[in-house]
Amino acid sequence: MSDRLAVRKTYKLYVNGAFPRSESGRTYEVADARGAFLANAAWASRKDARDAVVAARAAFGRWSRATAYNRGQVLYRVAEVMEGRHAQFCEEVAAGEGLSSGRARAVVDAAIDRWVWYAGWTDKLAAVLGSANPVAGPFFDFSLPEPTGVVAVLAPQRSSLLGLVSVLAPVLAGGNTAVVVTSHRRPLPAVTLGEVLATSDVPGGVVNLLTGDAGEIGPWLAEHDDVDAVDLTGAPADRALELERLAAGSIKRVLRPPAEEPDWTADPGTSRMTRFLETKTVWHPKGV
Amino acid sequence: MTSLFEYAPAPESRSIVDIAPSYGLFVDGEFVDGSGEPMKTVNPATEEVLSEIAVGTEADVDRAVKAARRAHTRVWGPMRPADRGKYLFRIARILQERAREFAVLESLDNGKPIRESRDVDVPLAAAHFFYHAGWADKLSYAGLGPDPRPHGVAGQVIPWNFPLLMLAWKVAPALATGNTVVLKPAETTPLSALLFAEVCRQADLPPGVVNVVTGAGETGRAVVEHDDVDKVAFTGSTEVGRSIARAVAGTRKALTLELGGKAANIVFDDAPIDQAVEGIVRGIFFNQGHVCCAGSRLLVQESVHDEVIASLQRRIGTLRVGDPLDKNTDIGAINSAEQLARIRELSEIGEAEGAHRWQPACELPDRGFWFPPTVFTDVSPAHRIARDEVFGPVLSVLTFRTPDEAVAKANNTTYGLSAGIWTEKGSRILAIADRLRAGVVWANTFNQFDPTSPFGGYKQSGYGREGGRHGLAAYLKESAR
Amino acid sequence: MTHVLDPGTLAAGTRPGPGPAAPFDDVTRSDAALRAFLHGLPGVDQVGAEQRAATLGTRSIKTTAKAWAIDTAIAMVDLTTLEGADTPGRVRSLAAKARRPDPDDPSCPAVAAVCVYGDLAGVAREALAGTGIHVAAVATAFPSGRASRAVKLADVRDAVGNGADEIDMVIDRGAFLSGRYLEVFEEIVAVKEACGDAHLKVILETGELVTYDNARRASWLAMLAGADFIKTSTGKISPAATLPVCLVMLEAVRDFRAATGTQVGVKPAGGIRTTKDAVKHLVLVNETVGADWLSPDWFRLGASSLLNDLLQQRQKLRTGHYSGPDHVSVD
């Protein structure tokens, strides 16, 4: 190797398609699995969360109304761009999660493939989840899935990339926009993912990534009236109840945290998508 | 206008129903005493006390949940699915056989016109049982995996606006999917649920599969908060829905909520005006406006505003308000003194805020709870009558100029249950329907319901669907593939 | 006539006969203008219209209301015979029945009119002299309307000459369905002129127009051309009068009066056989256009067998027990 001094990356938030520092000016130290310093990450505040919700709401109209084919291509594009950064993701995952390079490679492969899986779902959902309803009258009656809206996602704490993609991609596939609080101790793959999203075709604001503490920002998101749903997967165990109660205030859809972090390599199924889909039923008379 | 053609009274006979002086709770297949201080249920059209109703306490609810658990574990869960279906078919048939009795009882206890209880509530309730009966042995085709499982014991709390129909929406899918039920009917309308308990006995439904625990809010809370309830289903106000969502937070209970609404009914200038006027009337005056999906905000394109309002007022002038048991009554009694007070209060606020109140000349009975059909014009989106759910026969009229404005105003609410679109232009219907954030969109029609058609809200109108394949998901745990 | 596609061609000075009343006096200036007007009328949603009619059909009309409705319906009947086998004898017998529908009960009202083919109008006129019962004759090559204009007008003049004071004409459905609205309009105007003092009922034959949109447009077309009544059907085509089509036509006369001040009558004909059907129509009138139309001057029921059912129901109300077909006279 050369003796060239490396240019280090500044890890920032990803909000509304840009990479701001936290408005609070705070950062925190991110260490690898053995405790060695890796980087200073931005420590998102409640105001960053607020800005992220505004961005996600603004992006919702366009993203939710994009054709399913278009959304599928955008998500597939994320996989393509990730592939180009494969090595970087492997390094960050290996460092943050303490994995061997072989294990880290498998995790990154799985994460990329997960985008591909969900990319293929966008234009199947309506056929699989929709219905033509044979009502007892002269009406054409059909039901279709539609996105819930702005989803606040507390990403898994342990699996910093595959876990993150596994909770984020299904939210996007259905046409929602997301405000994600990343793994607190392992935020670096998320920031790199933000860079991937920014350089793929995901419109700004569709995904907003906040590095920081889900326990601190979570309540602001759970109580935010303009957030339609919360995924509590990465919520601190001792805060989940409080977050769910806060979410009740505006009748948010809540995905409760699992008893323990699941095996993200398992077949994802459709339930993470259906959790953040509404069913719209449309009636029209049939007459001449 | 004075009519040449005065319709003579045409009351449905109430002798077909036999209301007992008092009713117990229906637990484990038997009527038993409640431990609480009994309450009275009144006919809202006359304020006559119809019967005394047991009030279930926490201990009573506990007994009911235990009975439901036992029935689930020993009988209903292990039963062949086809047999579960047959019980539901039986119930559907008995409801059809006793339809007239149910219709009269419902109108007596609720105040709704017999025409609606006879032609809508009761037939639809029977249809819900018939529809779900067929699902019982076909759940592996429901899109929830090869072997979806019931939650176990479902605690269900239902409202007073469609007492029997809401019971059917809750009980039929729960039973078809293999759950057992503890049902808490609304405080002011318990009678049809108690008659339904009798239907369960006639059908030889095993004891404990359906339990009916009457009472008020405290009884409902006991059902919702009981530790051994696996699934909570609630239809009612958004306020109570919030407290229920809080109550089940941190538990493993599954929850579905069907809450309030403030639906926009959008009339474009190319609408079929006569049918639109019918749809507006059906949208807001059906069931005295005690309908969560009522079209309570009329959004009318400015260019046809005057014409639509004139037609609407003429049409409202023909509505017949009065005795719910008269077969020619269109608008019956407000369900309770409390609800009447709320309607009055919001109407007064509407006037105070500057909206213009219009009501047809109509004579209201001296006794009972009554409110005439009411239209507010000059309503601004900031007015409370444009934002709050009145849950009564009160229509707020707003205007718009462009489709974008119509959509923006329609979606400018925390609710998202239903919406209406009136236009002859097909592509516009589809475009607007896409953009409305509401669970049910009626285009060129309104307030249509069917067991095959999923119903439920967006936003603060709740989550989960009732009806259709989608409705089954509320009562089943998805199985892995 | 030539179908004029260029609205300008007809625009100047070719308006046929007396034009429609304000504010519609310019809508018949050309085929294009008339089409634009008729197609600019609000659409009719079939399902919604049928639901509304069905709901009104559930009204429960009992006791005093039923008695009033039966007598009113009898007084609105255009007692009709339109058979190839009609003879003067049959028409005289029908006229007798028209005067005294229930020979046993003088309180039973007479019907509104007797409706026959034009050649028998004179027989009817003679048999009904002095009763105030109208003589209606179908004309204009009834029921198909397939004859040249001259023949149709001659048919009308002949019927009027024979003593008919009401003419039931048919519109040219072929012209209507192919969009030649002005031609239909002109023909009605010409017939109206040929009627002289006789009232003109314009039969739309809604069963052939098929859609409610067409029924509404044809209603307006006929009213613009001067119809005194609009009538659903010839009775020779099924479906004939239905509640929803009558509803649509009532909405048309209601809106026409609101716009012009001119009141036009409505006559459902064909298929109304029972008292229940008749009462449903009266309910429809009552709740759609109101009391102003609840008289034989503004609402008629074109029927034959209906009258006997009304009479039996009337007897039942009076005696308290059911009557039978032998207790009313055969036609």
Side-chain angles (χ1 to χ4, degrees), chain C residues 18 22 25 35 53 57 66 83 94 106 111 129 166 177 181 185 191 193 200 224 244 272 298 314 320 327:
Chain C
D25 40 359
R35 164 190 296 275
K66 188 172 185 182
E83 303 298 332
L94 207 63
V111 304
E166 297 183 352
L177 289 171
Y181 298 129
F185 172 82
V191 171
E193 204 176 344
L200 175 62
L224 290 170
I272 304 170
W298 302 109
R314 195 173 185 278
H327 297 263

Side-chain angles (χ1 to χ4, degrees), chain B residues 81 84 134-149 176-177 469 472 476-481:
Chain B
R84 282 204 307 263
W135 267 121
D137 56 357
K138 300 166 192 71
L139 299 175
S140 57
Y141 298 93
L144 297 164
D147 187 25
R149 308 299 305 160
T177 48
R469 180 166 59 79
L472 299 175
L476 288 170
K477 288 183 277 197
E478 194 169 344
S479 68
R481 282 164 304 128

Side-chain angles (χ1 to χ4, degrees), chain A residues 80-153:
Chain A
E80 287 178 343
V81 179
M82 266 188 88
E83 197 82 63
R85 295 239 205 166
H86 199 286
Q88 185 186 355
F89 278 113
C90 283
E91 265 178 47
E92 286 169 352
V93 167
E97 298 184 18
L99 301 182
S100 69
S101 64
R103 296 270 313 279
R105 171 173 290 277
V107 165
V108 174
D109 288 349
I112 294 171
D113 290 354
R114 187 121 308 159
W115 283 109
V116 175
W117 152 267
Y118 280 112
W121 261 115
T122 57
D123 52 4
K124 320 295 184 292
L125 286 171
V128 171
L129 303 176
S131 59
N133 310 311
V135 298
F139 296 94
F140 180 50
D141 186 69
F142 61 94
S143 297
L144 290 175
E146 286 196 344
T148 295
V150 173
V151 182
V153 179

Side-chain angles (χ1 to χ4, degrees), chain A residues 24-68:
Chain A
S24 64
R26 298 180 306 174
T27 60
Y28 66 105
E29 214 171 276
V30 177
D32 70 11
R34 290 192 208 85
F37 174 79
L38 284 175
N40 290 311
W43 192 345
S45 67
R46 65 180 170 87
K47 289 187 181 172
D48 294 316
R50 175 201 63 192
D51 294 346
V53 172
V54 171
R57 175 60 63 195
F60 177 68
R62 184 176 155 202
W63 182 244
S64 62
R65 285 209 292 276
T67 65

Side-chain angles (χ1 to χ4, degrees), chain C residues 30-42:
Chain C
S30 70
D31 232 356
L34 186 52
R35 164 190 296 275
F37 173 76
L38 294 175
H39 287 253
L41 293 167

